């Protein structure tokens, strides 16, 4: 009882318990700087507070009790303890105890609601990789990564890297199996991983054409009974045997795979049977192939199988079954949506946005490709069987057209009609082709434009330029953006020599189709005619960037550089050209000409010799080689070339005189005398031959010298009389006292006074020289600069001489003596005048290309 104190009447025993310390006011924590600092940092611990009195948290400060004065706690430091004793006074007994407070508080504790005084959490403990299970998991991950890298490398086209990764994955997988066996987990081998490694390795072997290794790897998989469905891989093995052309083995493996696949996998069974049919076709066993394809068409018809079935029926010549197979082919469902689905409605904005998004997506592209493939197979089948199913190909085409019109491929009927016209062209029946194409004049615009384009092209080939121009206009009216029609229109204007207008049509064709090589080629030729060589050069350089191996384009570039007086660039382009056409004699001759103009006789001789080897009938090449050997004092070798020229032009006395002269220069006078006598028998009025006979007989002391001298005087007298007649005839013609043409009745025109036309004067229709041996690029051919017998600039003497020589159908007496006297002077003992080495100037015009619609208008 000593600690029991009676309360005074004036004091309230329970006063102060409703008061609270502001420290615990949670609404004021946002304004408490000390608390906010503690929250923001992990080092905001306040220093511990030491109480002077035991059992209290704050020393020297009185707490509000029933026996002491009440003092408000203005600070949040510390917290009040209700059991604290002040000045030795004990707290009175009471029945109320504050919740959450204790009379025995730990010394030095601070307010730390977030537990930040403990510091950061310790790091996670790493797993040990030394355990067997961890090693196995790591190896499995490496193997899977290698398989993925192998597949990605194959996708990027790096076949060798994909094979290396597949091999490394195989080595890692074997190490993994050994690891499991050593750890006693052999029963837990990952069969799926082993299968993946072996399958990828076999695939990469096959991709790298290592067929033996691929077959061995597949064999390992197939023989392992632990792999489920491994028998399907016999299809891959059969594919490898098919590539090796081991067809019986391929058939055997395909059938084994077919036996191991259940009927539930219908699509795979159909594909295997299709492969079996293809192998039978390769083996020539069409009956067995027909059995496979007929089964497929009855179970799951498709376009490729239907096409193959038609080929088999065509091979065995069964007309009726060809018809039935064609009907089945055009009835095969494609499984694609109608094009109307992609036409946007005008009133639904949301639907328009959706259609715009799917109009060119991957699915629609696949549908278009499938439809294009089906149309290609149907067109090819119709063109194949049309001549075989009826008595005439026209009747066969008509039957195919009727069948197509009643199917889902109605738009192909017009294309078949155009192919019918093309077949007439191949048979040289131009009238029927024209009649067939004319039936399209009243059809829709697309077909009408195609038919009119082909008609324009046909009339152009027949040189009926008025009709060609008419149908070109019709094609342009039907479809103004048809580049083929614009090109044909430009060609008709070109032949009328309206080059500026032709260039405009070619430019418009290029604006409509920038990849139209025919328009670009013709535009270059047009600029060349206009003398705008730099612009022409730009056109052909652009064309060369598109057609890298076009011989015609390279020739045009070489010809333009020659016209621009840049022979070095011309030689460079010709050197590129002979890498494409190494046996073109005209290209080789042109190289010889350019090297000769540059003074490099050895290189010129090499290329002229190669040109002669490939085409030994080029008179210009023969003449240059003969003159080269005479110039180098090898007259015996020149004889063979002039004898060749004699065979080519037997009515030209020039070459026979050259042969005789070579014999005389080489010292073989007896042979030279015999040759001159032979020439005299063929051309008894040749003055030069008689002069050499007189001199040779005189030097050799022969009795015939008097006879030849007499004949020489008579021939010279006749020559004077003939010249007087010519002179008088010309004077009379000049005065108008004689009839027109009297001079021509006496002699042929003088080649010196009447030179041939210049290049700009030659009509394009006059080009008649054969083309070189390589195939032409464009429908109408190449520029005249690349004709096989075209020549380039020689000296004026040789040009005049060659043009003056009579043709094979002209009498020699009309011009031979005068021509030889004017151009051939070879006195005995004097060195022979060597002809100039430059080739004659070309007189041909630039040909230009014609455009047709479709790849089959002109057969290759």
């Amino acid at each position: 009882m000593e600690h029991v104190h009676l309360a005074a009447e004036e004091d309230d025993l329970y006063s102060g318990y409703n008061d609270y310390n502001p420290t615990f006011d949670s609404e004021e924590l946002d304004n408490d700087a000390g608390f906010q600092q503690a929250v923001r940092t992990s080092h905001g611990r306040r220093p511990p507070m030491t109480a002077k009195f035991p059992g209290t948290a704050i020393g020297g400060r009185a707490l509000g009790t029933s026996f002491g004065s009440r003092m408000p706690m203005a600070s949040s430091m510390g917290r009040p303890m209700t059991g604290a004793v002040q000045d030795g006074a004990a707290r009175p007994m009471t029945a109320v105890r504050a919740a959450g407070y204790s009379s025995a508080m730990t010394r030095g504790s601070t307010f730390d609601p977030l537990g930040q005084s403990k510091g950061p959490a310790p790091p996670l403990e790493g797993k040990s990789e030394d355990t067997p299970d961890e090693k196995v998991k790591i190896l499995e991950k490496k193997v899977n990564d290698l398989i993925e890298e192998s597949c990605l490398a194959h996708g990027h086209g790096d076949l060798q890297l994909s094979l290396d990764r597949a091999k490394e994955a195989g080595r890692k997988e074997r190490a993994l199996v050994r690891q499991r066996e050593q750890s006693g987990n052999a029963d837990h081998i990952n069969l799926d991983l082993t299968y993946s490694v072996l399958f990828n390795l076999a695939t990469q072997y096959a991709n790298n054409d290592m067929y033996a290794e691929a077959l061995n790897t597949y064999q390992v998989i197939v023989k392992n009974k632990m792999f489920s469905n491994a028998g399907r891989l016999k299809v891959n093995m059969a594919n490898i045997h098919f590539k090796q052309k081991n067809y019986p083995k391929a058939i055997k493996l395909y059938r084994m795979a077919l036996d191991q696949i259940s009927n539930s996998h219908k699509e795979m069974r159909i594909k295997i049977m299709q492969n079996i049919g293809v192998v039978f076709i390769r083996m020539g066993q069409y009956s067995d192939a027909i059995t496979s394809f007929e089964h497929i068409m009855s179970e799951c018809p498709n376009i490729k199988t239907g096409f193959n079935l038609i080929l088999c029926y065509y091979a065995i010549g069964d007309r009726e079954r060809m018809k039935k197979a064609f009907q089945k082919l055009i009835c095969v469902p494609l499984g694609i949506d109608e094009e109307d689905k992609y036409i946007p409605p005008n009133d639904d904005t949301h639907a328009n946005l959706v259609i715009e998004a799917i109009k060119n997506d991957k699915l629609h592209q696949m549908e278009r490709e499938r439809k294009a493939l089906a149309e290609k197979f149907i067109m090819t089948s119709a063109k194949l069987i049309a001549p075989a199913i009826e008595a005439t190909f026209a009747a066969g085409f008509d039957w195919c057209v009727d069948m197509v019109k009643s199917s889902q491929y109605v738009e192909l009927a017009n294309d078949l009609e155009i192919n019918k016209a093309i077949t007439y062209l191949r048979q040289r029946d131009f009238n029927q082709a024209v009649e067939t194409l004319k039936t399209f004049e009243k059809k829709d615009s697309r077909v009408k434009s195609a038919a009119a384009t082909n008609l324009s092209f046909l009339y152009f080939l027949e040189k009926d330029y008025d009709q060609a121009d008419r149908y070109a206009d019709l094609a342009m009216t039907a479809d103004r953006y048809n580049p083929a029609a614009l090109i044909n229109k430009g060609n008709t204007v070109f032949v009328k020599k309206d080059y500026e207008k032709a260039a405009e049509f070619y430019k418009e064709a290029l604006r409509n189709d920038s990849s139209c090589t025919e328009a670009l080629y013709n535009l270059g030729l047009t600029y060349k005619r206009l003398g705008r060589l730099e612009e022409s050069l730009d056109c052909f350089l652009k064309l060369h960037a598109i057609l890298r191996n076009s011989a015609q384009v390279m020739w045009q570039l070489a010809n333009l550089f020659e016209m621009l007086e840049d022979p070095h660039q011309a030689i460079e382009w010709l050197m590129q050209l002979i890498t494409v056409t190494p046996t073109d004699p005209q290209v080789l001759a042109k190289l010889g000409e350019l090297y000769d103009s540059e003074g490099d006789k050895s290189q010129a001789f090499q290329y002229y010799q190669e040109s002669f080897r490939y085409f030994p009938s080029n008179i210009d090449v023969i003449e240059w080689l003969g003159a080269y050997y005479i110039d180098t004092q090898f007259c015996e070798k020149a004889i063979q070339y002039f004898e060749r020229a004699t065979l080519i032009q037997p009515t030209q006395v020039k070459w026979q005189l050259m042969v005789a002269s070579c014999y005389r220069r080489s010292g073989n006078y007896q042979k030279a005398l015999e040759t001159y006598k032979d020439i005299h028998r063929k051309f008894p009025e040749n003055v030069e031959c008689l002069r050499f006979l007189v001199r040779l007989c005189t030097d050799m002391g022969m009795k015939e010298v008097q006879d030849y001298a007499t004949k020489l005087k008579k021939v010279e007298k006749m020559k004077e009389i003939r010249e007087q007649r010519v002179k008088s005839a010309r004077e009379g013609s000049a005065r108008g006292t004689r009839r027109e043409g009297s001079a021509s009745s006496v002699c042929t025109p003088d080649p010196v006074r009447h030179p041939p036309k210049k290049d700009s004067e030659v009509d394009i229709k006059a080009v008649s020289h054969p083309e070189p041996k390589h195939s032409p690029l464009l429908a109408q051919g190449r520029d005249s600069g690349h004709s096989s017998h075209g020549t380039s600039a020689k000296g004026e003497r040789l040009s005049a001489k060659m043009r003056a020589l009579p043709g094979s159908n002209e009498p020699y007496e009309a011009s031979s003596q005068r021509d030889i006297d004017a151009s051939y002077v070879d006195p005995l003992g004097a060195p022979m005048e060597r002809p100039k080495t430059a080739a004659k100037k070309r007189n041909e015009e630039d040909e230009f290309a014609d455009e047709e619609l479709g790849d089959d208008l002109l057969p290759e």
Side-chain angles (χ1 to χ4, degrees):
M1 294 296 291
E2 59 181 327
H3 298 293
V4 176
H5 302 276
L6 297 176
E9 292 181 359
E10 68 274 14
D11 293 332
D12 186 4
L13 181 65
Y14 298 100
S15 63
Y17 285 100
N18 292 329
D19 298 333
Y20 65 92
N21 195 315
T23 304
F24 308 113
D25 187 1
S26 60
E27 296 179 358
E28 297 296 330
L29 291 178
D30 292 338
N31 300 323
D32 192 340
F35 177 77
Q36 292 298 328
Q37 181 66 22
V39 171
R40 282 195 298 269
T41 66
S42 61
H43 304 285
R45 295 175 55 188
R46 297 182 180 88
M49 292 164 288
T50 305
K52 293 184 179 180
F53 304 99
T56 62
I58 302 176
R61 179 175 298 179
L63 298 180
T65 63
S66 60
F67 290 98
S69 62
R70 302 182 187 90
M71 296 180 64
M73 300 189 67
S75 173
S76 64
M77 297 296 292
R79 77 180 190 180
M81 302 297 294
T82 58
V85 180
Q86 186 175 3
D87 298 331
R91 178 181 176 180
M93 294 182 62
T94 176
V96 180
R97 182 179 181 183
Y101 295 95
S102 172
S103 60
M105 180 179 179
T106 307
R107 293 182 180 273
S109 62
T110 59
F111 180 73
D112 188 12
L114 300 178
Q116 295 181 352
S117 59
K118 297 180 180 180
L124 299 175
E125 295 182 1
K127 292 184 179 180
S128 176
E129 297 182 0
D130 296 335
T131 62
D133 291 341
E134 291 300 326
K135 290 182 179 180
V136 167
K137 290 181 180 179
I138 292 173
L139 278 175
E140 284 186 350
K141 186 177 184 305
K142 288 182 179 179
V143 171
N144 284 316
D145 291 343
L146 288 170
I147 293 175
E148 185 176 355
E149 290 177 10
S150 175
C151 296
L152 290 175
H154 176 262
H156 295 148
D158 194 345
L159 301 181
Q160 185 60 43
L161 179 60
S162 65
L163 179 59
D164 294 339
R165 292 292 182 267
K167 289 180 178 180
E168 187 176 354
R171 290 192 293 268
K172 295 285 186 183
E173 195 274 334
R174 288 191 294 272
L176 174 61
V177 172
R178 288 194 298 268
Q179 183 72 23
R180 286 186 182 275
E181 291 175 351
Q182 291 175 4
S183 62
N185 294 327
D187 296 337
H188 298 83
I189 294 177
N190 192 343
L191 292 177
D192 293 338
L193 184 61
T194 304
Y195 181 89
S196 300
V197 170
L198 292 175
F199 178 70
N200 181 59
L201 181 60
T203 303
Q204 302 308 330
Y205 275 136
N207 292 334
N208 284 271
D209 297 334
M210 302 171 66
Y211 298 130
E213 292 82 354
L215 289 173
N216 292 335
T217 309
Y218 279 128
Q219 198 69 26
V220 171
I221 302 175
V222 171
K223 288 185 176 181
N224 194 334
K225 302 300 182 182
M226 300 178 68
F227 296 137
S228 60
N229 298 324
R232 298 183 180 183
L233 295 182
K234 290 182 180 179
V235 176
N236 295 18
M237 299 172 67
N239 291 341
I240 293 175
H241 285 294
F242 179 81
K243 292 179 181 178
Q244 294 178 329
K245 298 184 179 181
N246 188 2
Y247 301 129
K249 186 69 174 178
I251 290 287
K252 179 181 178 181
L253 288 170
Y254 280 134
R255 286 177 171 170
M256 292 173 65
L258 193 63
D259 294 338
Q260 296 184 11
I261 297 175
S262 63
N263 293 328
S264 60
H265 299 85
K266 182 179 179 181
E267 186 176 355
M268 182 175 289
R269 290 178 61 87
I270 290 296
K271 290 182 178 180
I272 294 175
M273 291 189 69
Q274 187 170 350
N275 286 0
I276 293 174
V278 172
V279 176
F280 276 131
I281 290 178
R282 292 294 183 92
M283 298 173 66
Q285 300 180 15
Y286 300 111
S287 299
D288 296 329
I290 288 172
T291 303
S292 297
F293 292 143
E294 285 180 342
H295 176 74
I296 297 172
M297 292 299 289
S298 62
E299 294 291 331
C300 183
N302 61 79
I303 290 293
K304 287 185 179 180
T305 303
F307 179 71
N308 289 336
L309 185 59
I310 291 175
L311 292 180
C312 292
Y313 286 144
Y314 180 83
I316 64 176
D318 194 332
R319 293 186 178 184
E320 294 301 324
R321 295 170 84 179
M322 272 190 276
K323 290 183 177 181
K324 293 180 180 179
F326 185 77
Q327 291 174 344
K328 290 181 180 179
L329 178 65
I330 60 178
C331 293
V332 172
L334 294 179
I336 61 177
D337 295 327
E338 297 294 334
E339 289 295 327
D340 296 341
K341 171 185 175 181
Y342 300 99
I343 299 176
N346 296 326
D347 53 348
D348 193 345
T349 306
H350 179 70
N352 291 343
L353 293 175
V354 172
I355 291 174
E356 188 68 25
I358 67 174
K359 187 165 60 176
N360 199 33
D361 61 353
K362 296 292 184 181
L363 180 60
H364 194 199
Q365 292 176 9
M366 185 196 72
E367 291 176 348
R368 286 199 299 263
E369 291 173 0
R370 184 179 296 180
K371 185 176 181 180
L373 181 64
E375 292 177 353
K376 175 185 176 183
F377 283 150
I378 292 172
M379 290 291 295
T380 306
S381 301
K383 289 188 288 185
L384 178 68
I385 68 174
I389 58 178
E390 298 292 346
T392 62
F393 85 92
F397 265 108
D398 292 339
W399 182 88
C400 293
V401 169
D402 293 339
M403 291 297 104
V404 170
K405 284 181 178 179
S406 61
S407 69
Q408 56 183 327
Y409 304 99
V410 181
E411 64 274 7
L412 291 182
N414 293 325
D415 295 335
L416 282 175
E417 289 282 359
I418 292 179
N419 275 281
K420 179 181 176 182
I422 293 172
T423 307
Y424 277 125
L425 285 178
R426 290 199 177 106
Q427 296 182 355
R428 305 293 180 183
D429 193 348
F430 295 101
N431 294 330
Q432 286 292 335
V434 171
E435 291 299 325
T436 304
L437 291 172
K438 284 183 177 179
T439 59
F440 291 94
E441 292 187 15
K442 297 182 180 180
K443 296 287 182 71
D444 59 73
S445 61
R446 184 186 69 85
V447 181
K448 183 178 180 180
S449 178
T453 300
N454 286 338
L455 283 170
S456 174
F457 175 69
L458 287 175
Y459 282 121
F460 189 88
L461 292 180
E462 294 178 349
K463 293 182 172 55
D464 189 351
Y465 300 121
D466 294 333
Q467 287 290 337
D469 185 67
R470 171 176 171 267
Y471 280 102
D473 290 335
L474 183 62
M476 291 168 57
T477 303
D479 184 3
R480 181 67 186 183
Y481 299 100
N482 184 358
L486 292 167
I487 290 175
N488 285 346
K489 178 64 177 178
N491 290 347
T492 59
V493 177
F494 187 97
V495 296
K496 297 176 183 178
K497 298 184 179 180
D498 190 353
Y499 302 125
E500 293 288 352
K501 193 173 182 180
E504 290 301 321
F505 283 112
Y506 296 143
K507 289 178 183 178
E508 186 176 355
L510 285 172
R511 285 193 294 269
N512 294 337
D513 183 6
S514 59
S515 63
C516 186
T517 56
E518 293 85 358
L520 190 57
Y521 189 94
N522 291 352
L523 182 62
L525 294 182
T526 305
Y527 284 145
K528 189 176 177 182
R529 287 293 185 87
L530 292 170
R532 294 151 67 174
L533 300 183
E534 293 293 343
E535 296 179 47
S536 176
L537 187 64
D538 291 339
C539 290
F540 285 112
L541 286 173
K542 292 177 182 177
L543 194 58
H544 177 69
I546 302 172
L547 306 172
R548 303 295 298 180
N549 295 323
S550 172
Q552 290 83 0
V553 175
M554 293 182 189
W555 174 267
Q556 294 294 341
L557 287 168
N559 184 251
L560 285 169
F561 277 115
E562 183 185 7
M563 296 173 70
L564 291 169
E565 298 180 356
D566 191 351
H568 296 290
Q569 282 291 332
I571 290 174
E572 288 295 328
W573 282 105
L574 290 175
M575 293 297 291
Q576 292 187 36
L577 178 55
I578 62 174
T579 62
V580 178
T581 57
T583 60
D584 191 330
Q586 188 57 33
V587 176
L588 295 168
K590 188 65 177 179
L591 272 170
E593 174 192 336
L594 290 175
Y595 276 117
D596 186 29
S597 64
E598 292 293 305
D600 192 345
K601 302 297 181 183
S602 60
Q603 285 287 346
F605 171 74
Q606 175 185 347
Y607 287 110
Y608 272 123
Q609 188 71 26
E610 284 293 303
S611 176
F612 176 79
R613 185 165 69 90
Y614 290 116
F615 185 60
S617 299
N618 190 333
I619 291 295
D620 296 318
V621 175
I622 291 172
E623 184 177 10
W624 191 94
L625 289 171
Y628 175 81
Y629 279 118
I630 292 176
D631 191 35
T632 55
Q633 305 300 322
F634 289 101
C635 298
E636 298 86 350
K637 293 184 178 181
I639 292 173
Q640 61 174 328
Y641 295 103
F642 293 128
E643 287 178 345
R644 170 75 65 171
T646 302
L647 294 175
I648 297 172
Q649 296 179 346
T651 61
Q652 300 292 327
V653 69
K654 166 188 175 179
W655 308 118
Q656 300 182 44
L657 289 173
M658 287 288 190
V659 173
S661 177
C662 289
Y663 281 125
R664 180 175 53 80
R665 288 171 179 275
S666 61
N668 194 347
Y669 297 109
Q670 186 62 37
K671 189 67 176 177
L673 181 62
E674 293 175 1
T675 305
Y676 280 124
K677 288 181 178 180
D678 185 62
I679 295 171
H680 178 64
R681 283 193 296 272
K682 295 178 180 178
F683 307 100
E685 296 183 0
N686 185 269
V687 176
E688 294 300 323
C689 180
L690 288 172
R691 286 176 181 172
F692 286 121
L693 282 172
V694 170
R695 294 187 181 184
L696 281 175
C697 291
T698 301
D699 293 341
M700 298 174 69
M702 301 180 68
K703 298 179 180 180
E704 294 94 337
V705 62
Q706 191 62 37
D707 295 337
Y708 290 127
T710 303
K711 291 180 180 180
L712 178 60
K713 290 180 181 180
K714 291 181 180 180
V715 170
E716 288 178 344
K717 185 64 176 177
M718 291 175 62
K719 177 183 176 182
E720 292 177 359
I721 294 172
R722 186 179 293 111
E723 289 177 351
Q724 290 177 359
R725 288 178 180 176
V726 171
K727 183 177 181 181
S728 61
R730 288 176 179 172
E731 291 176 354
S733 177
R735 293 192 304 267
T737 58
R738 291 193 174 213
R739 291 182 309 172
E740 183 179 358
S742 60
S744 61
S745 65
V746 178
C747 65
T748 58
D750 189 349
V752 178
R753 295 178 181 270
H754 302 279
K757 295 181 181 179
K758 297 181 181 179
D759 288 352
S760 59
E761 299 173 349
V762 180
D763 190 359
I764 189 170
K765 295 182 289 187
V767 178
S768 61
H769 296 280
E771 289 289 333
K773 301 303 178 185
H774 50 270
S775 61
L777 165 68
L778 306 173
Q780 188 64 11
R782 300 181 300 172
D783 185 33
S784 65
H786 199 23
S787 61
S788 290
H789 290 117
T791 57
S792 49
K794 269 189 178 285
E796 290 297 327
R797 185 185 61 80
L798 278 179
S799 298
K801 179 177 64 176
M802 293 300 294
R803 296 188 184 102
L805 295 177
S808 58
N809 57 348
E810 297 178 3
Y812 176 76
E813 291 77 13
S815 61
S816 60
Q817 297 177 13
R818 175 176 48 78
D819 292 338
I820 294 299
D821 287 341
S823 62
Y824 185 86
V825 179
D826 189 12
L828 187 65
M832 175 180 174
E833 179 184 358
R834 183 181 182 278
K836 296 182 180 180
T837 56
K840 291 189 301 180
K841 182 177 294 185
R842 298 179 183 275
N843 291 325
E844 301 134 5
E845 286 292 290
D846 298 330
E847 299 172 337
F848 52 95
D850 298 307
E851 171 70 10
E852 76 280 8
L853 189 67
D855 296 331
D856 298 328
L857 184 57
L858 288 182
E860 295 181 356

